[in-house]
Amino acid sequence: MANSKNSSSRRKFLQNLGGTALLLGTHPLSTLANGQERIVELKPEKRITPNDRIRVAVIGTGIMGHQDLNTALKVPGVELAGACDLYAGRLERMKELYGKDIFVTNDYRAILDRKDIDAVIVATSDNWHARIATEALQKGKAVYLEKPMVHRITEGLPLIAAQKASGKVLQVGSQRVSSIVYAKAKELYLSGDIGKLNMIEASFDRQSALGAWQYTMPIDGSPETVSWDRYIAGTRKIPYDSKKFFWWRNYRDFGTGVAGDLFVHLLSGVHVITGSMGPVRIFSSGQLSHWKDGRDVPDVMTAIMEYPETPEHPAFQLSLKVNFISGGGDTHSIRLIGEEGVMEVKGNSLLVKHSLMPKAPGMGGWDALTTYPKAMQDALLQDYNSKYSAEDRKAPRKEDTQYKAPAGYNEHLDHFTNFFDAIRTGKPVVEDAAFGFRAAAPCLACNDSYFEKKIIQWDPVAMKVKDTKSK
């Protein structure tokens, strides 16, 4: 009986989804046969003509700025036109890497004023994301904006409006949104491969000082080499502090902690697979367990989010976890749990395992049967045997499958390729401002929940915190 209910539930779910799954069948990873592992044949790069040249500048040349720029320049037709950073040593490094004649500045406005720059990569501390992105759009630049899209929830809707008003491309930098592995996960999810979804578990654990953002400090960090007043513009005035500049992720004035950094990666992946707009209830808890270096954000954090039923997905519970002192080492994964299987994404691989219930509910073993009088046991067993055949008592089998991207596959490069394709062709980006905000806002709400010790009510469609005071 349980099987017929599950089948009916799955049919209803797939009917709600319509023909979406069919559209995904043309993706390169869909060529993988069930139960096999094959090398994925990626589509060849399209030919770029000289007229397709895009000149890009990077604002913020720290770790992600370097990574983003290095990846962006692998896309044919993309050229570096300038770099901005508030630390003089990083501007010197840009000249070492890209030539002494490259335009460098410690004022991002000088980048935005240049007519020969088509697009900017914004890879600054989180507190500058919305401000610089908005001004860049107003200056007619396309924007690749590192996640989280905003530092505060209140900045999200104004930035979305600024992008719409400008008509320029804005892509948020959560690269797994462009991953072929996540595309395959989405295809399998839409096909009902694991049955009706009910829970997702996502985690990002680390076990190192560098993983906990204690990055190598420069020898000469000081008010003479860092444009400190520019850095703190718009926030409270505080004396120069090398940690708050070079380790900004650890401080609420400049970063968003593990929630804004790593929860956003996880939530972006969840949303691209399920097509969800986000949760309605958010609660988080955490602690500063090990890295007591002056940071004012936790190094261990968990969150629970409640996702309602929508045309895209059934209701499900999402648990998020980050542990910066995990004895299990560096690991991260997203596990989608359905009634008939589990789908786990880890880096560039996807494992799907199945477990189906038999038609018969079972009798005996760890059961109340033997607590009843013998005559009653016999009657119950006779009735059970008459209802269910030996075949009914066997659990159906469904093979497990592992999918892998080819060696050297780079989702980051795919994400930048999508960004530059959108600039050239006018087609939509894969991670626009609304998607980026819907991934960032619930994670920022985790910080609010943690620090204010309360449940946050969120409207994922309107993208607003619900006003519960009037109720």
Side-chain angles (χ1 to χ4, degrees), residues 365-421:
W366 188 263
D367 185 14
L369 178 67
T370 56
T371 68
Y372 305 144
K374 182 66 170 58
M376 188 183 295
Q377 291 183 42
D378 294 341
L380 287 167
L381 282 169
Q382 183 177 0
D383 181 62
Y384 183 84
N385 290 332
S386 68
K387 286 182 179 178
Y388 302 108
S389 67
E391 195 63 29
D392 290 338
R393 300 173 206 185
K394 294 179 182 178
R397 301 285 297 174
K398 192 174 181 181
E399 62 184 351
D400 302 335
T401 311
Q402 185 170 21
Y403 302 90
K404 290 185 177 181
Y409 172 68
N410 187 345
E411 62 188 23
H412 203 191
L413 180 57
D414 271 1
H415 206 49
F416 266 104
T417 300
N418 287 330
F419 171 59
F420 292 120
D421 278 353

Short mmCIF file of all heavy atoms in Angstrom, two decimals, residues 365-421:
data_model
loop_
_atom_site.label_atom_id
_atom_site.label_comp_id
_atom_site.label_asym_id
_atom_site.label_seq_id
_atom_site.Cartn_x
_atom_site.Cartn_y
_atom_site.Cartn_z
N GLY A 365 9.88 -9.58 13.71
CA GLY A 365 11.13 -8.88 14.00
C GLY A 365 10.91 -7.86 15.10
O GLY A 365 10.29 -8.16 16.13
N TRP A 366 11.42 -6.66 14.91
CA TRP A 366 11.21 -5.59 15.90
C TRP A 366 9.80 -5.06 15.70
O TRP A 366 9.57 -4.06 15.02
CB TRP A 366 12.26 -4.49 15.72
CG TRP A 366 12.21 -3.45 16.82
CD1 TRP A 366 11.59 -2.25 16.78
CD2 TRP A 366 12.78 -3.56 18.12
NE1 TRP A 366 11.73 -1.58 17.97
CE2 TRP A 366 12.46 -2.36 18.82
CE3 TRP A 366 13.52 -4.55 18.79
CZ2 TRP A 366 12.86 -2.12 20.13
CZ3 TRP A 366 13.92 -4.30 20.10
CH2 TRP A 366 13.60 -3.10 20.75
N ASP A 367 8.86 -5.75 16.30
CA ASP A 367 7.44 -5.51 16.03
C ASP A 367 6.65 -5.86 17.29
O ASP A 367 7.11 -6.63 18.15
CB ASP A 367 7.01 -6.39 14.84
CG ASP A 367 5.58 -6.13 14.39
OD1 ASP A 367 5.00 -5.10 14.79
OD2 ASP A 367 5.04 -6.96 13.63
N ALA A 368 5.46 -5.33 17.38
CA ALA A 368 4.60 -5.62 18.52
C ALA A 368 3.94 -6.99 18.43
O ALA A 368 3.29 -7.44 19.38
CB ALA A 368 3.51 -4.54 18.64
N LEU A 369 4.12 -7.69 17.30
CA LEU A 369 3.40 -8.95 17.07
C LEU A 369 3.55 -9.93 18.23
O LEU A 369 2.55 -10.49 18.71
CB LEU A 369 3.90 -9.60 15.77
CG LEU A 369 3.29 -10.95 15.42
CD1 LEU A 369 1.81 -10.79 15.10
CD2 LEU A 369 4.04 -11.61 14.27
N THR A 370 4.77 -10.13 18.70
CA THR A 370 5.00 -11.17 19.71
C THR A 370 4.51 -10.79 21.10
O THR A 370 4.57 -11.59 22.02
CB THR A 370 6.50 -11.50 19.79
OG1 THR A 370 7.24 -10.30 20.06
CG2 THR A 370 6.98 -12.13 18.49
N THR A 371 4.00 -9.56 21.25
CA THR A 371 3.47 -9.15 22.56
C THR A 371 1.99 -9.51 22.70
O THR A 371 1.41 -9.30 23.76
CB THR A 371 3.65 -7.63 22.77
OG1 THR A 371 2.80 -6.92 21.84
CG2 THR A 371 5.09 -7.21 22.57
N TYR A 372 1.39 -10.07 21.62
CA TYR A 372 -0.03 -10.39 21.63
C TYR A 372 -0.22 -11.89 21.94
O TYR A 372 0.71 -12.69 21.78
CB TYR A 372 -0.68 -10.05 20.29
CG TYR A 372 -0.48 -8.61 19.87
CD1 TYR A 372 -0.30 -8.29 18.52
CD2 TYR A 372 -0.47 -7.57 20.80
CE1 TYR A 372 -0.12 -6.98 18.12
CE2 TYR A 372 -0.29 -6.26 20.40
CZ TYR A 372 -0.10 -5.96 19.07
OH TYR A 372 0.07 -4.68 18.69
N PRO A 373 -1.43 -12.29 22.35
CA PRO A 373 -1.70 -13.72 22.58
C PRO A 373 -1.41 -14.54 21.33
O PRO A 373 -1.55 -14.08 20.21
CB PRO A 373 -3.19 -13.74 22.94
CG PRO A 373 -3.46 -12.37 23.47
CD PRO A 373 -2.58 -11.45 22.70
N LYS A 374 -1.00 -15.81 21.54
CA LYS A 374 -0.58 -16.68 20.45
C LYS A 374 -1.66 -16.83 19.37
O LYS A 374 -1.36 -16.79 18.16
CB LYS A 374 -0.23 -18.07 21.01
CG LYS A 374 0.27 -19.06 19.97
CD LYS A 374 1.61 -18.62 19.37
CE LYS A 374 2.22 -19.72 18.50
NZ LYS A 374 1.37 -20.16 17.39
N ALA A 375 -2.88 -16.99 19.80
CA ALA A 375 -3.97 -17.16 18.83
C ALA A 375 -4.11 -15.92 17.95
O ALA A 375 -4.37 -16.02 16.74
CB ALA A 375 -5.28 -17.46 19.54
N MET A 376 -3.94 -14.75 18.57
CA MET A 376 -4.05 -13.51 17.81
C MET A 376 -2.88 -13.39 16.83
O MET A 376 -3.05 -12.93 15.68
CB MET A 376 -4.08 -12.30 18.75
CG MET A 376 -4.37 -11.00 18.04
SD MET A 376 -4.33 -9.57 19.15
CE MET A 376 -5.71 -9.95 20.21
N GLN A 377 -1.69 -13.80 17.27
CA GLN A 377 -0.52 -13.77 16.37
C GLN A 377 -0.78 -14.62 15.13
O GLN A 377 -0.51 -14.19 14.00
CB GLN A 377 0.72 -14.29 17.09
CG GLN A 377 1.25 -13.39 18.19
CD GLN A 377 2.53 -13.95 18.80
OE1 GLN A 377 3.41 -14.43 18.09
NE2 GLN A 377 2.62 -13.88 20.13
N ASP A 378 -1.32 -15.81 15.35
CA ASP A 378 -1.58 -16.71 14.24
C ASP A 378 -2.60 -16.11 13.27
O ASP A 378 -2.44 -16.21 12.04
CB ASP A 378 -2.09 -18.06 14.74
CG ASP A 378 -1.02 -18.81 15.53
OD1 ASP A 378 0.18 -18.47 15.37
OD2 ASP A 378 -1.38 -19.72 16.29
N ALA A 379 -3.62 -15.46 13.81
CA ALA A 379 -4.65 -14.84 12.96
C ALA A 379 -4.08 -13.68 12.16
O ALA A 379 -4.38 -13.52 10.97
CB ALA A 379 -5.82 -14.37 13.83
N LEU A 380 -3.25 -12.90 12.81
CA LEU A 380 -2.64 -11.76 12.13
C LEU A 380 -1.70 -12.22 11.01
O LEU A 380 -1.69 -11.65 9.91
CB LEU A 380 -1.88 -10.89 13.13
CG LEU A 380 -2.73 -10.04 14.07
CD1 LEU A 380 -1.89 -9.47 15.21
CD2 LEU A 380 -3.41 -8.91 13.30
N LEU A 381 -0.91 -13.25 11.27
CA LEU A 381 0.02 -13.76 10.26
C LEU A 381 -0.73 -14.36 9.07
O LEU A 381 -0.33 -14.19 7.92
CB LEU A 381 0.93 -14.82 10.89
CG LEU A 381 2.08 -14.28 11.74
CD1 LEU A 381 2.75 -15.41 12.53
CD2 LEU A 381 3.12 -13.59 10.84
N GLN A 382 -1.81 -15.07 9.36
CA GLN A 382 -2.59 -15.66 8.29
C GLN A 382 -3.18 -14.57 7.39
O GLN A 382 -3.16 -14.68 6.16
CB GLN A 382 -3.71 -16.53 8.87
CG GLN A 382 -4.53 -17.25 7.82
CD GLN A 382 -5.60 -18.16 8.42
OE1 GLN A 382 -5.73 -18.27 9.64
NE2 GLN A 382 -6.37 -18.82 7.58
N ASP A 383 -3.69 -13.54 8.00
CA ASP A 383 -4.26 -12.42 7.24
C ASP A 383 -3.18 -11.73 6.40
O ASP A 383 -3.40 -11.39 5.23
CB ASP A 383 -4.92 -11.43 8.20
CG ASP A 383 -5.56 -10.27 7.46
OD1 ASP A 383 -6.49 -10.51 6.68
OD2 ASP A 383 -5.10 -9.12 7.66
N TYR A 384 -2.01 -11.54 7.00
CA TYR A 384 -0.89 -10.87 6.31
C TYR A 384 -0.44 -11.69 5.10
O TYR A 384 -0.24 -11.16 4.00
CB TYR A 384 0.27 -10.68 7.29
CG TYR A 384 1.47 -9.93 6.73
CD1 TYR A 384 1.50 -8.55 6.71
CD2 TYR A 384 2.57 -10.63 6.23
CE1 TYR A 384 2.60 -7.85 6.20
CE2 TYR A 384 3.68 -9.94 5.72
CZ TYR A 384 3.68 -8.55 5.71
OH TYR A 384 4.76 -7.89 5.21
N ASN A 385 -0.31 -13.00 5.29
CA ASN A 385 0.14 -13.88 4.22
C ASN A 385 -0.86 -13.96 3.06
O ASN A 385 -0.48 -14.16 1.91
CB ASN A 385 0.42 -15.28 4.75
CG ASN A 385 1.65 -15.31 5.65
OD1 ASN A 385 2.55 -14.50 5.50
ND2 ASN A 385 1.67 -16.24 6.61
N SER A 386 -2.12 -13.78 3.39
CA SER A 386 -3.14 -13.81 2.34
C SER A 386 -3.15 -12.52 1.52
O SER A 386 -3.55 -12.52 0.35
CB SER A 386 -4.53 -14.05 2.95
OG SER A 386 -4.93 -12.92 3.72
N LYS A 387 -2.69 -11.44 2.11
CA LYS A 387 -2.69 -10.14 1.43
C LYS A 387 -1.43 -9.92 0.58
O LYS A 387 -1.50 -9.29 -0.48
CB LYS A 387 -2.79 -9.00 2.45
CG LYS A 387 -4.15 -8.81 3.06
CD LYS A 387 -4.14 -7.62 4.03
CE LYS A 387 -5.50 -7.39 4.64
NZ LYS A 387 -5.46 -6.25 5.61
N TYR A 388 -0.28 -10.42 1.06
CA TYR A 388 0.98 -10.06 0.42
C TYR A 388 1.74 -11.31 -0.03
O TYR A 388 1.98 -12.23 0.76
CB TYR A 388 1.86 -9.25 1.38
CG TYR A 388 1.20 -7.98 1.87
CD1 TYR A 388 0.75 -7.87 3.19
CD2 TYR A 388 1.02 -6.90 1.02
CE1 TYR A 388 0.14 -6.72 3.65
CE2 TYR A 388 0.41 -5.74 1.46
CZ TYR A 388 -0.03 -5.65 2.77
OH TYR A 388 -0.63 -4.51 3.22
N SER A 389 2.13 -11.31 -1.29
CA SER A 389 2.90 -12.42 -1.84
C SER A 389 4.36 -12.28 -1.45
O SER A 389 4.79 -11.25 -0.90
CB SER A 389 2.79 -12.42 -3.37
OG SER A 389 3.45 -11.27 -3.91
N ALA A 390 5.14 -13.30 -1.76
CA ALA A 390 6.58 -13.24 -1.49
C ALA A 390 7.22 -12.10 -2.26
O ALA A 390 8.15 -11.43 -1.78
CB ALA A 390 7.22 -14.58 -1.87
N GLU A 391 6.72 -11.83 -3.47
CA GLU A 391 7.26 -10.74 -4.29
C GLU A 391 6.94 -9.38 -3.65
O GLU A 391 7.75 -8.45 -3.70
CB GLU A 391 6.68 -10.81 -5.71
CG GLU A 391 7.41 -9.97 -6.73
CD GLU A 391 8.84 -10.42 -6.94
OE1 GLU A 391 9.14 -11.62 -6.78
OE2 GLU A 391 9.68 -9.54 -7.25
N ASP A 392 5.74 -9.28 -3.06
CA ASP A 392 5.34 -8.02 -2.41
C ASP A 392 6.27 -7.68 -1.26
O ASP A 392 6.42 -6.51 -0.89
CB ASP A 392 3.90 -8.13 -1.87
CG ASP A 392 2.87 -8.17 -2.97
OD1 ASP A 392 3.18 -7.71 -4.10
OD2 ASP A 392 1.76 -8.67 -2.72
N ARG A 393 6.88 -8.69 -0.67
CA ARG A 393 7.71 -8.46 0.52
C ARG A 393 9.15 -8.11 0.17
O ARG A 393 9.95 -7.78 1.05
CB ARG A 393 7.69 -9.71 1.40
CG ARG A 393 6.28 -10.05 1.86
CD ARG A 393 6.22 -11.38 2.59
NE ARG A 393 4.87 -11.96 2.45
CZ ARG A 393 4.48 -13.05 3.06
NH1 ARG A 393 5.32 -13.72 3.84
NH2 ARG A 393 3.25 -13.51 2.88
N LYS A 394 9.49 -8.19 -1.11
CA LYS A 394 10.84 -7.82 -1.53
C LYS A 394 10.90 -6.33 -1.87
O LYS A 394 10.01 -5.80 -2.53
CB LYS A 394 11.24 -8.63 -2.77
CG LYS A 394 11.38 -10.12 -2.54
CD LYS A 394 11.75 -10.81 -3.85
CE LYS A 394 11.85 -12.32 -3.68
NZ LYS A 394 12.15 -12.98 -4.97
N ALA A 395 11.97 -5.70 -1.45
CA ALA A 395 12.16 -4.29 -1.81
C ALA A 395 12.60 -4.20 -3.26
O ALA A 395 13.51 -4.91 -3.68
CB ALA A 395 13.22 -3.66 -0.91
N PRO A 396 11.95 -3.35 -4.06
CA PRO A 396 12.39 -3.18 -5.46
C PRO A 396 13.83 -2.69 -5.52
O PRO A 396 14.31 -1.99 -4.62
CB PRO A 396 11.43 -2.10 -5.99
CG PRO A 396 10.25 -2.12 -5.07
CD PRO A 396 10.80 -2.50 -3.73
N ARG A 397 14.53 -3.08 -6.56
CA ARG A 397 15.94 -2.70 -6.73
C ARG A 397 16.07 -1.63 -7.80
O ARG A 397 15.40 -1.67 -8.83
CB ARG A 397 16.77 -3.92 -7.14
CG ARG A 397 16.71 -5.07 -6.14
CD ARG A 397 17.54 -4.80 -4.91
NE ARG A 397 18.95 -4.65 -5.23
CZ ARG A 397 19.87 -4.30 -4.33
NH1 ARG A 397 19.50 -4.02 -3.08
NH2 ARG A 397 21.12 -4.20 -4.68
N LYS A 398 16.92 -0.66 -7.53
CA LYS A 398 17.21 0.39 -8.50
C LYS A 398 18.69 0.69 -8.39
O LYS A 398 19.19 0.97 -7.29
CB LYS A 398 16.37 1.63 -8.20
CG LYS A 398 16.39 2.68 -9.29
CD LYS A 398 15.42 3.81 -8.95
CE LYS A 398 15.40 4.86 -10.03
NZ LYS A 398 14.47 5.97 -9.71
N GLU A 399 19.41 0.59 -9.49
CA GLU A 399 20.87 0.68 -9.42
C GLU A 399 21.35 2.07 -9.02
O GLU A 399 20.70 3.07 -9.30
CB GLU A 399 21.50 0.28 -10.75
CG GLU A 399 21.13 1.16 -11.93
CD GLU A 399 21.70 0.64 -13.23
OE1 GLU A 399 22.52 -0.29 -13.18
OE2 GLU A 399 21.32 1.15 -14.29
N ASP A 400 22.48 2.11 -8.34
CA ASP A 400 23.12 3.34 -7.95
C ASP A 400 24.04 3.81 -9.08
O ASP A 400 24.54 3.00 -9.87
CB ASP A 400 23.94 3.15 -6.67
CG ASP A 400 23.10 2.65 -5.51
OD1 ASP A 400 21.89 2.89 -5.54
OD2 ASP A 400 23.66 2.01 -4.61
N THR A 401 24.26 5.10 -9.15
CA THR A 401 25.05 5.66 -10.24
C THR A 401 25.93 6.78 -9.72
O THR A 401 25.50 7.58 -8.89
CB THR A 401 24.16 6.22 -11.36
OG1 THR A 401 23.17 5.26 -11.70
CG2 THR A 401 24.98 6.58 -12.58
N GLN A 402 27.16 6.83 -10.22
CA GLN A 402 28.05 7.95 -9.91
C GLN A 402 28.37 8.67 -11.22
O GLN A 402 28.74 8.06 -12.22
CB GLN A 402 29.35 7.48 -9.25
CG GLN A 402 30.23 8.65 -8.83
CD GLN A 402 31.39 8.23 -7.96
OE1 GLN A 402 31.78 7.07 -7.97
NE2 GLN A 402 31.95 9.15 -7.21
N TYR A 403 28.21 9.97 -11.18
CA TYR A 403 28.53 10.82 -12.33
C TYR A 403 29.74 11.67 -11.98
O TYR A 403 29.83 12.20 -10.88
CB TYR A 403 27.35 11.73 -12.67
CG TYR A 403 26.07 10.99 -12.97
CD1 TYR A 403 25.17 10.69 -11.94
CD2 TYR A 403 25.76 10.58 -14.25
CE1 TYR A 403 23.99 10.00 -12.19
CE2 TYR A 403 24.57 9.91 -14.53
CZ TYR A 403 23.71 9.63 -13.49
OH TYR A 403 22.54 8.95 -13.75
N LYS A 404 30.65 11.82 -12.94
CA LYS A 404 31.85 12.61 -12.70
C LYS A 404 32.11 13.55 -13.87
O LYS A 404 31.97 13.16 -15.03
CB LYS A 404 33.08 11.71 -12.51
CG LYS A 404 33.09 10.94 -11.21
CD LYS A 404 34.39 10.16 -11.06
CE LYS A 404 34.45 9.43 -9.72
NZ LYS A 404 35.72 8.69 -9.56
N ALA A 405 32.50 14.76 -13.55
CA ALA A 405 32.97 15.66 -14.59
C ALA A 405 34.35 15.20 -15.03
O ALA A 405 35.05 14.53 -14.27
CB ALA A 405 33.02 17.09 -14.06
N PRO A 406 34.77 15.52 -16.23
CA PRO A 406 36.09 15.09 -16.69
C PRO A 406 37.21 15.75 -15.90
O PRO A 406 37.02 16.82 -15.29
CB PRO A 406 36.12 15.54 -18.15
CG PRO A 406 35.13 16.66 -18.22
CD PRO A 406 34.06 16.32 -17.24
N ALA A 407 38.36 15.13 -15.87
CA ALA A 407 39.52 15.68 -15.17
C ALA A 407 39.82 17.08 -15.71
O ALA A 407 39.80 17.31 -16.92
CB ALA A 407 40.74 14.77 -15.37
N GLY A 408 40.06 18.00 -14.79
CA GLY A 408 40.39 19.36 -15.19
C GLY A 408 39.18 20.25 -15.43
O GLY A 408 39.34 21.42 -15.76
N TYR A 409 37.97 19.68 -15.25
CA TYR A 409 36.77 20.51 -15.47
C TYR A 409 36.76 21.69 -14.49
O TYR A 409 37.08 21.56 -13.32
CB TYR A 409 35.50 19.69 -15.28
CG TYR A 409 34.26 20.55 -15.32
CD1 TYR A 409 33.87 21.18 -16.50
CD2 TYR A 409 33.52 20.79 -14.16
CE1 TYR A 409 32.75 22.00 -16.52
CE2 TYR A 409 32.40 21.59 -14.18
CZ TYR A 409 32.02 22.21 -15.37
OH TYR A 409 30.92 23.03 -15.39
N ASN A 410 36.36 22.87 -14.97
CA ASN A 410 36.41 24.10 -14.19
C ASN A 410 35.06 24.82 -14.25
O ASN A 410 34.76 25.49 -15.24
CB ASN A 410 37.53 25.01 -14.71
CG ASN A 410 37.77 26.23 -13.83
OD1 ASN A 410 36.94 26.57 -12.99
ND2 ASN A 410 38.89 26.88 -14.03
N GLU A 411 34.25 24.66 -13.20
CA GLU A 411 32.95 25.33 -13.17
C GLU A 411 33.10 26.85 -13.11
O GLU A 411 32.24 27.60 -13.59
CB GLU A 411 32.13 24.83 -11.96
CG GLU A 411 32.77 25.12 -10.61
CD GLU A 411 32.05 24.47 -9.46
OE1 GLU A 411 31.34 23.47 -9.67
OE2 GLU A 411 32.22 24.94 -8.32
N HIS A 412 34.21 27.32 -12.51
CA HIS A 412 34.48 28.75 -12.43
C HIS A 412 34.61 29.34 -13.84
O HIS A 412 34.09 30.43 -14.13
CB HIS A 412 35.77 28.96 -11.64
CG HIS A 412 35.90 30.32 -11.02
ND1 HIS A 412 37.08 30.77 -10.46
CD2 HIS A 412 35.03 31.33 -10.87
CE1 HIS A 412 36.92 31.98 -10.00
NE2 HIS A 412 35.68 32.34 -10.22
N LEU A 413 35.30 28.62 -14.71
CA LEU A 413 35.45 29.08 -16.09
C LEU A 413 34.10 29.08 -16.81
O LEU A 413 33.79 30.01 -17.56
CB LEU A 413 36.45 28.18 -16.83
CG LEU A 413 36.71 28.52 -18.30
CD1 LEU A 413 37.20 29.95 -18.45
CD2 LEU A 413 37.72 27.54 -18.90
N ASP A 414 33.28 28.06 -16.57
CA ASP A 414 31.94 28.03 -17.17
C ASP A 414 31.13 29.24 -16.70
O ASP A 414 30.36 29.83 -17.48
CB ASP A 414 31.22 26.74 -16.77
CG ASP A 414 31.48 25.62 -17.76
OD1 ASP A 414 32.23 25.84 -18.73
OD2 ASP A 414 30.94 24.51 -17.55
N HIS A 415 31.28 29.60 -15.43
CA HIS A 415 30.51 30.72 -14.88
C HIS A 415 30.92 32.04 -15.55
O HIS A 415 30.06 32.86 -15.90
CB HIS A 415 30.73 30.79 -13.37
CG HIS A 415 29.59 31.42 -12.62
ND1 HIS A 415 28.28 31.07 -12.80
CD2 HIS A 415 29.58 32.41 -11.68
CE1 HIS A 415 27.50 31.79 -12.00
NE2 HIS A 415 28.26 32.62 -11.32
N PHE A 416 32.22 32.23 -15.73
CA PHE A 416 32.67 33.44 -16.41
C PHE A 416 32.31 33.43 -17.89
O PHE A 416 31.98 34.47 -18.46
CB PHE A 416 34.18 33.63 -16.23
CG PHE A 416 34.52 34.51 -15.05
CD1 PHE A 416 34.99 33.96 -13.87
CD2 PHE A 416 34.36 35.87 -15.12
CE1 PHE A 416 35.29 34.76 -12.78
CE2 PHE A 416 34.64 36.69 -14.04
CZ PHE A 416 35.12 36.14 -12.86
N THR A 417 32.36 32.26 -18.50
CA THR A 417 31.95 32.17 -19.90
C THR A 417 30.50 32.57 -20.06
O THR A 417 30.13 33.30 -20.99
CB THR A 417 32.17 30.73 -20.42
OG1 THR A 417 33.56 30.40 -20.31
CG2 THR A 417 31.75 30.62 -21.88
N ASN A 418 29.65 32.13 -19.12
CA ASN A 418 28.24 32.52 -19.14
C ASN A 418 28.08 34.04 -19.00
O ASN A 418 27.24 34.65 -19.67
CB ASN A 418 27.48 31.82 -18.00
CG ASN A 418 27.26 30.36 -18.27
OD1 ASN A 418 27.15 29.95 -19.42
ND2 ASN A 418 27.20 29.55 -17.22
N PHE A 419 28.90 34.63 -18.14
CA PHE A 419 28.85 36.07 -17.91
C PHE A 419 29.20 36.84 -19.20
O PHE A 419 28.46 37.73 -19.63
CB PHE A 419 29.82 36.43 -16.79
CG PHE A 419 30.04 37.92 -16.58
CD1 PHE A 419 28.98 38.75 -16.28
CD2 PHE A 419 31.32 38.47 -16.67
CE1 PHE A 419 29.19 40.12 -16.06
CE2 PHE A 419 31.53 39.82 -16.46
CZ PHE A 419 30.46 40.64 -16.16
N PHE A 420 30.31 36.48 -19.82
CA PHE A 420 30.74 37.19 -21.02
C PHE A 420 29.84 36.89 -22.21
O PHE A 420 29.63 37.76 -23.07
CB PHE A 420 32.21 36.87 -21.32
CG PHE A 420 33.16 37.44 -20.31
CD1 PHE A 420 34.00 36.61 -19.57
CD2 PHE A 420 33.21 38.80 -20.07
CE1 PHE A 420 34.87 37.13 -18.62
CE2 PHE A 420 34.07 39.34 -19.12
CZ PHE A 420 34.90 38.51 -18.40
N ASP A 421 29.27 35.69 -22.28
CA ASP A 421 28.30 35.38 -23.33
C ASP A 421 27.07 36.28 -23.20
O ASP A 421 26.51 36.74 -24.21
CB ASP A 421 27.86 33.92 -23.24
CG ASP A 421 28.84 32.97 -23.91
OD1 ASP A 421 29.79 33.46 -24.55
OD2 ASP A 421 28.66 31.74 -23.77
#
